[in-house]
Amino acid sequence: MSIKKFSNSLKSAEIVEQTVGIYEEAVRLRRKIHENPELGFEEHKTAEMIANHLQDLGIEVITGVAKTGVIGILRGEKEGPVLALRADIDALPIQEKTDVSYKSKNPGIMHACGHDMHTAMLLSAANILSQNKQHISGTIKFIFQPAEEMKGGGIMMVDEGVLSNPTVDHAFAFHVWPELPTGVYGFRNGPMMASMDTFDIVLKGKQGHGAAPHQGVDAIVGAAHVVTALQTIVSRETDPVDSVVITIGTIEAGDGYNIIPEKASFKGTVRTLNENTRKEVAESIRRIIEGVASALKLEVEINYNFTVGYPVAMNDPTFNEHACAIATDLFGEGSVQWLSRPSMASEDFAFYLEKVPGTFVFLGVGENPENPMKLHSDVFLPDEKAMIQGISLIVGLAINTTEKIQ
Ligand SMILES: [Zn+2]
Ligand SMILES: [Zn+2]
């Protein structure tokens, strides 16, 4: 890939210099957020801290979006597009087991997905950008979103109009990524993260004596057949090179050695990489459950929460390549990796990408990518030095997106 040079008035080297200048403050900010984690839709103190910080920078602030979300609006001195930059602010119900001095003070709650870093990076970028309004074309919308972890904060922000007034042209977000070396950006065109849907199933048979199966209808045997048959969607129905995951994460039935239970219930999740496959798999699940249940004389209740799941996070190639060119101009070609495979995990930034062309980028935080710690681990410790690359890219995007990228 050829290296594009940006002719904007704030050069990449100056962006990096200004980022290095506030790095220590970014670390302090991140550690303060890390020490005070809050769960989805309960991020009251975090939101207050963000709002105060933005206000101190002279940025227009809107609070209470999607309950605990905060939006900052910064208008550049030149005409141009509206760029949305999003960080998620929620923590997870995990008891922290690290020994760091800034360990979580809230029992059973931990920033184990790096959202503390996302928030600190966006606030730090807001700091730099607020001092460089003369270099900004258009408007920057800083979005601090609550409840990314399974609670749908993203869709709520979008439904409450975060992408309008002023209308957003492009959206950008990061996720810290332990499988990449510190400070390396992971880019991918098209699907970046999978869709995520969940389902609840109850199979109803007829209760009976364990020694007289012919007098009952065994819900456990039914559940066993259904669980096995569901995997044939992945192995026999969908295109083998179009990845699908179906996982049953919970199964409950029975309460004894010798009683045939009336009910078996289970819960599962589905991940896909395109919306057609997502719809087809939803239908296949229904057909298989109903078919197998009917064959085994069971009744079935299916609660397929298709609408509350997350769509595929689909990166717009044109905007993504624009972001990659900026990253390359900032830190050279060695700082960029093009990822051959998407992640089958999911992200509610997908709701923004459904509405406006944008990109979701991974930011390496693994000092040792050969042996990375995992996201959601109780000892998750991302390398803070990656914030230099993170903040610089956010600032670079804000400065160098001078017109709508088409
Ligand atoms: Zn997470
Ligand atoms: Zn996350």
Side-chain angles (χ1 to χ4, degrees), residues 19-96:
T19 302
V20 171
I22 62 154
Y23 173 67
E24 279 179 22
E25 197 203 318
V27 169
R28 271 197 301 279
L29 208 52
R30 184 252 157 175
R31 292 184 179 185
K32 195 170 139 197
I33 300 166
H34 188 87
E35 257 184 331
N36 299 286
E38 295 174 295
L39 295 174
F41 295 128
E42 292 169 20
E43 310 94 331
H44 301 286
K45 287 184 184 151
T46 310
E48 195 187 325
M49 187 277 285
I50 292 166
N52 289 340
H53 197 95
L54 293 173
Q55 253 148 15
D56 290 347
L57 297 172
I59 291 173
E60 189 183 323
V61 177
I62 305 165
T63 56
V65 187
K67 297 183 184 171
T68 42
V70 179
I71 298 173
I73 297 174
L74 180 67
R75 290 171 215 278
E77 288 178 10
K78 294 181 270 183
E79 287 298 303
V82 179
L83 176 66
L85 304 167
R86 174 274 210 174
D88 38 12
I89 64 172
D90 57 322
L92 285 155
I94 292 174
Q95 179 64 44
E96 178 160 359

Side-chain angles (χ1 to χ4, degrees), residues 88 92 112-115 148-149 175 346-347 375-376:
D88 38 12
L92 285 155
C113 200
H115 301 183
E148 191 282 325
E149 300 285 359
H175 208 295
S346 61
E347 226 313 317
L375 292 171
H376 293 205

Side-chain angles (χ1 to χ4, degrees), residues 84-116:
L85 304 167
R86 174 274 210 174
D88 38 12
I89 64 172
D90 57 322
L92 285 155
I94 292 174
Q95 179 64 44
E96 178 160 359
K97 291 205 182 130
T98 73
D99 290 321
V100 292
S101 58
Y102 52 93
K103 182 174 175 167
S104 168
K105 285 181 185 161
N106 298 341
I109 307 179
M110 177 187 177
H111 270 293
C113 200
H115 301 183
D116 49 348

Side-chain angles (χ1 to χ4, degrees), residues 8-20 128 135:
N8 230 285
S9 45
L10 191 66
K11 301 271 179 287
S12 284
E14 293 168 292
I15 292 174
V16 176
E17 198 182 301
Q18 293 195 22
T19 302
V20 171
I128 295 175
H135 298 297

Side-chain angles (χ1 to χ4, degrees), residues 36 58 79 98 112 130 163 200-201 207 232 250 254 333 365 373 393:
N36 299 286
E79 287 298 303
T98 73
S130 68
L163 297 175
D200 295 86
I201 296 160
Q207 203 254 6
T232 64
T250 299
E333 286 187 77
V365 289
M373 68 273 161
L393 182 53

